[in-house]
Amino acid sequence: MRVRIDGIDRDARQDESLVEVITRHGGSLPHVCYHVQLGAIQTCDTCMVEVNGQLVRACATAAADGMVVSTVSPRASAAQVEAFDRILSNHLLYCTVCDNNNGNCTVHNTTKLLAIDHQRMPFRSKPYEVDNTNPFYRYDPDQCILCGRCVEACQNVEVNETLSINWEDPNPRVLWDGGSTIQESSCVSCGHCVTVCPCNALMEKSMLGHAGFFTSLKKSTLKGMIDIVKGVEPETGYGAILQVSEAEHAMREHRIRRTKTVCTYCAVGCSFDVWTKDRHILKVVPEHGPANGISTCVKGKFGWDFVNSRDRLTTPLVRHGDTFRPATWDEALSLIARRLSDISATSGPDAIGFISSSKCTNEESYLMQKLARAVIGTNNVDNCSRYCQAPATMGLFRTVGYGGDSGSITDIEQADLVIVIGSNTAESHPVIATRVKSSHKLNGQKLIVSDLREHEMARRADMFLHPKPGTDLVWLNAIARYLLDHGLANSAFLDRWVNGLDEYRKSLAPFTMAEAARITGLSFETLQNVAHEIAQAKRVCVLWAMGVTQHNQGSDTSTAISNLLLVTGNYMRPGTGAYPLRGHNNVQGASDHGSMPNNLPGYQSVDDPEVRARFESAWRVALPKTKGLDNHQMVDAIHQGTLKAIYLIGEEMSIVDSNANYVGAAFEKLEFFVVQDVFFSETCRFADVVLPASPSLEKEGTFTSTERRIQRLYQVLEPLEGSLPDWRIIQRVANHLGAGWSYQHPSEVMDEIASLTPLFAGVSYKRLEGYKSLQWPVAADGTDEPLLYTKHFAFPDGKARLFPMSWVGPTDQPDAQFDLHVNNGRLLEHFHEGNLTYRVPGIREKTPDTWVEVSPALAEERGLQSGTWVRLISRYGQVRVRALVTDRVQGRELYMPMNSSEIAVNRLTSSHTDAATNTPAYKETSVRMDVLAEVGESPLPRINSRFGHPTPQKGVEVERKWKRPDYRIPGTQFLRVINR
Ligand code: SF4
Ligand code: SF4
Ligand code: SF4
Ligand code: FES
């Protein structure tokens, strides 16, 4: 299309608004409330243009062929100035002493763009106090221009539905839960609102008093300076004042660094710029991340204080009796080399095990397995995907060929039906949850949730299924059978793309709807409704997590999900597919890069002579030929006396592995144990040598998110003195063992990976610069695959495989002695056991402890209340914990978050595992509950967001502003002035 803008013909795309066309062509139209990722909000009116003689908002007007647009006509200019004047009446311009004077303040920049010298409407203070109650950010009503960006972000992107604007009030402002303080509201501190605020009304507290040269002055002095500036404004105009503030901004450029990184917490893969002044983290700015855009959760946005914690390890430690003493690096590394060499010489290399970290980079995972295989000579290497993701990977290997999500987050957004099974997505993968919540709220996406708990996703769902614990496999298979039996399967897809239908159908014989209803407790009607919803939906995505995988049939249930997607033809197209949501930031990458006992990097089997030969030739060593021990088997091998030493990096294995008492007892038997971490973890207590590592902000490398998305992280801070990035430590250990490695930078490691691994053939740091990313497999020419299987499945004949099903039933079932089922999982605020997040004071304030969730019915039966101490006793151990009574859980089902190392849920869990992968059956645990006499405070303070009362609405509802008696389209008044 062609659009004539200010006399020049411009091309325009079908779906573009005028503001997009104008800015894409380098035009300088003012626009304050419009935001690329939020779209047209229409509250500010500063983007007024004249189209065919009519004043319209450029942000809300679609470009049309032949349109004639003026951005500079007297009417348009007058409207823009008047609209902006109204904004300035809501905002005190004191840029020089403002922490937001960083070159990106929309109000400042628009003042300059419109060459405002004097404002016609005077500033009017609003009759409200600044709200400082939230630990992470504050709201200053006097600076709030009522643009509504924050409301749009909270209502429609994050979909926490906390914010609104009281347009009908004489003095509108942003409200939390309709009028609560921020601290007592439902705000989850995700930071979306702060990120999109175009001025300083919402600001990170870590910025306040830190960003500017003059902003740390005392409040009274600051006020004096603001008064002086305001005093001279009538004489000098804003032009001169803005020049001063721009000089101050230029000075800031020399001391504020902006560095791109990737989040260290979960595997959504949010990326953002971190603004730092020396070691002070000023703020986290998400904007360009391919997975997240403007989105973060509280951890990624505000959870970084741990980096500067006084608890950081800054020197190697060597065991000295029952304590540790500081040692030099040389002493510690020499000791490690000597002891590992001795054990290898006397007991063989397979007496040593290596545990890599899903928090570390791909390059570090690669080096760890290279150390195990090429330097020590063992395949005993694993990572914590064994604890969560291995069954999902197995299910996908069996059926479609690649062990990763079959598409991208955008596919999940596009789906007509999303099914979430065993995943508390809103807390464990918050930014992916925002996409589902938003599509569900705004675009008619349907949502079915199967879970034991009625968590946020369950409450939002169109259908919430609550099957008996551990029975998802049964209803999935019954639905698949029902669809096949009733002609509702996608037979064209099955004929063309899928093998194994006959054997699979035979295996489904026991899975009738009646039998499924009996085993799962779901009604026949419910199951039938779910079957028809799936059959009718054009595009279905299934999301699942540890509620599926951490069972004795975790691999089979994951397989059942993929089977069902094949039966209904929900692969190979955008908006469809299988999405096992990976947990840790780099749990996908840790396995991808070979920290597995059976696979070299890129899932190349250690059994394959051709593969081994390729690595042997590159590494110039002979490699071990037989599969090594996984981390579950390593623990057994220690007890059996065959495994004598472990080198473990970045894993809190002593409490996150199942049956923690058994694991701890094993670690006590080790002859030699090296633990490398950022803090002195629980696991360090068992160590002989502790090595101080650097967290992600202090290193370079790549992470691979749940979307198979490989992204670069850049070094934000120098490693804290005394600590080192893990890749450097692993290299030093290897070299003390005589390896002779000489990597100068992780990019060299990635080049080596690419040269040896077809899956990553085209991966290079150059192709990953800045916010660029690649979703594996990556061909040598750099072509990646955001959506897998678009041409064929990843098997030699290109066809997928239906995998036969059987039902065994869960282990560790409740009985007369252990009468309650205890489930466990993550919390929004804390990551895993909380070693990092408890060192963030704001998170600690909001969520200081763990608890056990008890249903109201069970609480009444046992006579307990929130805060009552109880003792949970399983067949394997016990914990003492406070109860939280909540209807999120039902009947005799309990839930314990895993956010505590002192009260670790894994003191209760067993050593039962998934048969195919050895992933512990964490979710199959029975306990009895002794109610103790002691009653304390509720473990969840009232200031936690879970006690808030959201106020859902569709965005900022600007129509309510337009209905105000004092509102009129801007422009007419000034036109009258000009005409006069
Ligand atoms: S939940 Fe809180 S931090 Fe997140 S957008 Fe809403 S008000 Fe802002
Ligand atoms: S607080 Fe919200 S409404 Fe106020 S200026 Fe910031 S984004 Fe706009
Ligand atoms: S924890 Fe996950 S969802 Fe939250 S910011 Fe980090 S990557 Fe994103
Ligand atoms: S940018 Fe168009 S109304 Fe605000």
Side-chain angles (χ1 to χ4, degrees), residues 756-820:
L756 289 166
T757 316
L759 203 61
F760 310 125
V763 179
S764 71
Y765 272 39
K766 183 103 186 89
R767 290 194 171 122
L768 295 171
E769 253 172 22
Y771 281 87
K772 286 192 246 166
S773 67
L774 292 165
Q775 287 171 273
W776 65 248
V778 185
D781 66 359
T783 309
D784 68 344
E785 295 192 31
L787 180 63
L788 291 177
Y789 319 124
T790 51
K791 296 196 181 76
H792 52 76
F793 287 95
F795 289 117
D797 64 358
K799 285 190 165 191
R801 301 169 180 175
L802 284 165
F803 191 91
M805 295 275 88
S806 61
W807 165 243
V808 178
T811 59
D812 205 342
Q813 293 273 46
D815 59 15
Q817 197 188 355
F818 301 98
D819 58 335
L820 306 172

Side-chain angles (χ1 to χ4, degrees), residues 355 387 631-632 634-636 638-639 646 648 652-670 673 683 686 876 906-907 909-911 920 922:
I355 308 281
Y387 300 143
N631 47 18
H632 178 78
M634 285 187 212
V635 172
D636 283 344
I638 301 168
H639 277 297
I646 284 186
L648 172 150
E652 184 57 298
M653 187 166 163
S654 70
I655 53 166
V656 303
D657 195 354
S658 196
N659 199 351
N661 295 332
Y662 179 72
V663 177
F667 286 165
E668 279 173 3
K669 292 181 182 166
L670 278 170
F673 191 17
T683 307
F686 298 95
Y876 310 94
N906 288 320
R907 303 264 172 236
T909 50
S910 75
S911 292
Y922 291 93

Side-chain angles (χ1 to χ4, degrees), residues 31-34 42-47 57 59:
H31 53 277
V32 173
C33 68
Y34 170 78
Q42 303 190 73
T43 49
C44 78
D45 293 340
T46 57
C47 66
R57 296 181 187 91
C59 64

Side-chain angles (χ1 to χ4, degrees), residues 840-863:
V840 179
I843 289 181
R844 210 180 173 116
E845 179 184 331
K846 288 272 192 186
T847 318
D849 204 354
T850 194
W851 59 81
V852 58
E853 292 185 1
V854 179
S855 70
L858 186 64
E860 194 181 336
E861 179 191 309
R862 303 287 168 95

Side-chain angles (χ1 to χ4, degrees), residues 240-403:
I241 295 172
L242 291 191
Q243 275 177 13
V244 176
S245 64
E246 276 168 20
E248 197 265 355
H249 156 234
M251 285 161 61
R252 292 186 193 189
E253 290 292 297
H254 294 289
R255 66 173 190 177
I256 294 178
R257 288 187 64 210
R258 300 165 200 206
T259 317
K260 182 238 173 171
T261 192
V262 182
C263 186
T264 194
Y265 290 108
C266 89
V268 174
C270 297
S271 54
F272 29 72
D273 279 2
V274 185
W275 290 28
T276 49
K277 190 178 83 178
D278 302 323
R279 283 193 72 87
H280 178 76
I281 295 171
L282 287 164
K283 65 171 171 174
V284 161
V285 183
E287 191 177 359
H288 307 294
N292 60 310
I294 56 168
S295 296
T296 43
C297 74
V298 57
K299 301 182 290 296
K301 178 76 180 173
F302 298 114
W304 297 96
D305 294 332
F306 72 87
V307 174
N308 289 320
S309 163
R310 286 206 192 124
D311 302 343
R312 284 278 304 273
L313 288 169
T314 52
T315 182
L317 301 171
V318 170
R319 178 169 288 282
H320 183 70
D322 286 339
T323 59
F324 290 85
R325 64 171 175 78
T328 63
W329 276 100
D330 201 46
E331 183 190 359
L333 294 170
S334 301
L335 176 62
I336 293 167
R338 181 163 52 77
R339 293 302 308 277
L340 293 184
S341 301
D342 287 351
I343 291 168
S344 180
T346 51
S347 305
D350 288 336
I352 303 171
F354 292 79
I355 308 281
S356 196
S357 173
S358 55
K359 282 262 155 284
C360 289
T361 62
N362 290 325
E363 294 76 2
E364 288 163 342
S365 179
Y366 175 86
L367 291 184
M368 193 65 172
Q369 59 86 39
K370 184 173 176 180
L371 171 65
R373 293 181 162 120
V375 181
I376 296 293
T378 180
N379 279 321
N380 292 343
V381 57
D382 206 2
N383 73 89
C384 81
S385 69
R386 185 72 45 206
Y387 300 143
C388 55
Q389 291 301 333
T393 305
M394 178 61 74
L396 297 175
F397 275 150
R398 284 172 174 173
T399 51
V400 284
Y402 282 131

